[in-house]
Amino acid sequence: MEGRWGQGRGQRSPFRDRTLSDRGWGRSALAVSWRPSDGGRRTGSSQRPGAVRRARRTGRTMTTTAPTRALVASLVEDAVTAPSMHNAQPWRFVHRTAADTVELYGDPSREMPHADPDHRALHLSCGAALFGLRVAAAHQGLGARVRLLPDPEDSWHLADVRLDQATGADEELAELRPALAERHTSRFPFSEERVPAEILDGLRAAAILEGCRLVVPGDWHAEVVMGLVHASALFEAADASVRAELARWTRTAATEEDPGTEGIPSYALGPRQYDVTSPVRDFDPPRRVPERASARFEKDPQISLLGTVRDAPGEWLMAGQALHRVLLRATLDGLATSLMSQPLEWPELRPLARDPLSATSFVQMVIRMGYGPRGRATPRRPVSEVLAFV
């Protein structure tokens, strides 16, 4: 596969013949993106005012030489810890050495035509990986200048990240780096202990920093969303194509099955529910995983809705970055989290998830959070499979 990534800038992209219906550009997330209306020039830095001064005060090493291959590989290794739908890991990276630029591409071999026909979830996953790359760069003392959707002719080319040695790193991003290895999706029951308001405020602020909004629904709205979660389970059970797609990414620990480096392993499925009120998707309704325990889940799941004003590829990438920032902040705050995307995978249900009184027009993800087991790390493809140097 790496040979397909060896083309020069003037040659045809490996994904050039694949197009999306919308090639719109998203707004700059706190001035970390470039806009085509600016002729491709940078509209801002990846750090807020004072970030360089903070780096100097804290004694962080400022990189003054071009990143080595080993360093770039380590950045990508951190980036791919990002969450993705069914752990499909639909990303590819190309490092252009002469320009100190890392290009991010979606991987069409990992698309889900039934559950994600417009590639919205794929963009969210790649946006999350993009944020992980920014965090890793900041940890190494590097700035990261991001341009979203840089090539209107190639809709699979999702972002360019210019690694900047001159301006230094954003310390607030660097502080999130320990959570990259600690954050895992938890499909286990949480306690009924409520998340304190000050923690929720911090998570809302994290979303705002990436140009999105995090809404904590009131009682009636939360009840509506949970109803949509249960309705989507019925939709899924009635659609053989969606069930087959789900099975492709589910590992059962069968002796004849290759455990692989992708998909959801059996140990990450969590327990079965005693009743029909579980907020967690059951990835194994056919009961192919033997000796899977059952458990009662929390009666009143604590959820939040991540949303955007518009609904186009640029906003999806922004939402993916905001999602990862919120999850990492939640991890450092001691919370366990899981994602509840199933009602958003059905066009009949997704519009019903938003609060009609909210300024958030489009819900991009439903996040469950609380206190409980954090879950275990799920496998990742080796960096050699997702990174090429040209």
Side-chain angles (χ1 to χ4, degrees), residues 274-296:
Y274 272 124
D275 47 34
V276 295
T277 62
S278 170
V280 176
R281 182 184 220 148
D282 189 350
F283 282 83
D284 184 40
R287 296 180 179 268
R288 297 177 299 162
V289 178
E291 301 180 0
R292 187 172 161 215
S294 297
R296 292 189 185 278

Side-chain angles (χ1 to χ4, degrees), residues 72-135:
V72 173
S74 74
L75 301 182
V76 171
E77 185 175 20
D78 278 350
V80 301
T81 61
S84 60
M85 186 174 181
H86 305 345
N87 195 30
Q89 305 166 56
W91 42 63
R92 291 278 185 178
F93 298 85
V94 175
H95 180 240
R96 297 196 178 274
T97 307
D100 279 351
T101 298
V102 178
E103 298 175 348
L104 171 63
Y105 292 85
D107 186 342
S109 70
R110 294 169 181 276
E111 64 184 346
M112 299 180 191
H114 300 289
D116 186 35
D118 58 1
H119 303 119
R120 185 185 66 85
L122 183 148
H123 280 72
L124 261 69
S125 300
C126 290
L130 173 61
F131 185 77
L133 186 72
R134 290 169 53 199
V135 169

Side-chain angles (χ1 to χ4, degrees), residues 137-156:
H139 173 72
Q140 295 291 345
L142 296 169
R145 304 182 182 188
V146 178
R147 181 183 180 187
L148 300 179
L149 303 174
D151 186 353
E153 298 301 318
D154 185 359
S155 55
W156 290 98

Side-chain angles (χ1 to χ4, degrees), residues 51-69:
V52 176
R53 291 192 296 274
R54 286 197 301 273
R56 289 169 180 163
R57 286 199 302 269
T58 57
R60 176 170 293 278
T61 300
M62 304 295 286
T63 303
T64 58
T65 59
T68 64
R69 288 194 172 196

Side-chain angles (χ1 to χ4, degrees), residues 114-356:
H114 300 289
D116 186 35
D118 58 1
H119 303 119
R120 185 185 66 85
L122 183 148
H123 280 72
L124 261 69
S125 300
C126 290
L130 173 61
F131 185 77
L133 186 72
R134 290 169 53 199
V135 169
H139 173 72
Q140 295 291 345
L142 296 169
R145 304 182 182 188
V146 178
R147 181 183 180 187
L148 300 179
L149 303 174
D151 186 353
E153 298 301 318
D154 185 359
S155 55
W156 290 98
H157 188 174
L158 303 183
D160 285 347
V161 182
R162 177 73 180 271
L163 300 175
D164 186 349
Q165 301 90 31
T167 58
D170 183 329
E171 284 295 300
E172 291 190 18
L173 284 182
E175 290 170 0
L176 296 174
R177 200 263 181 171
L180 289 175
E182 298 173 8
R183 182 217 62 82
H184 308 304
T185 297
S186 177
R187 299 181 182 88
F188 292 85
F190 296 165
S191 74
E192 299 291 347
E193 180 182 356
R194 310 312 288 177
V195 177
E198 56 268 26
I199 290 182
L200 294 176
D201 287 344
L203 299 180
R204 291 188 186 98
I208 289 173
L209 286 172
E210 300 302 325
C212 299
R213 289 194 63 191
L214 189 72
V215 175
V216 178
D219 291 344
W220 73 267
H221 189 193
E223 184 176 346
V224 168
V225 174
M226 291 308 303
L228 297 176
V229 170
H230 302 319
S232 66
L234 299 177
F235 279 40
E236 188 174 284
D239 193 315
S241 298
V242 171
R243 293 200 312 272
E245 198 168 71
L246 191 66
R248 174 193 171 192
W249 298 102
T250 304
R251 305 290 175 253
T252 64
T255 55
E256 69 277 6
E257 180 182 70
D258 180 3
T261 56
E262 59 198 24
I264 310 227
S266 59
Y267 62 76
L269 297 178
R272 298 188 185 280
Q273 58 186 359
Y274 272 124
D275 47 34
V276 295
T277 62
S278 170
V280 176
R281 182 184 220 148
D282 189 350
F283 282 83
D284 184 40
R287 296 180 179 268
R288 297 177 299 162
V289 178
E291 301 180 0
R292 187 172 161 215
S294 297
R296 292 189 185 278
F297 285 76
E298 62 270 28
K299 181 180 178 181
D300 296 309
Q302 299 178 80
I303 61 174
S304 56
L305 281 62
L306 181 70
T308 56
V309 174
R310 296 192 298 167
D311 197 38
E315 277 68 34
W316 301 339
L317 290 169
M318 289 170 58
Q321 294 177 83
L323 173 64
H324 205 184
R325 187 164 199 149
V326 168
L327 294 177
L328 295 179
R329 183 71 263 165
T331 299
L332 293 181
D333 287 336
L335 298 178
T337 57
S338 64
L339 304 181
M340 302 164 63
S341 65
Q342 54 268 48
L344 309 180
E345 296 163 19
W346 299 92
E348 305 93 329
L349 302 180
R350 186 185 172 210
L352 304 178
R354 69 175 294 267
D355 181 348

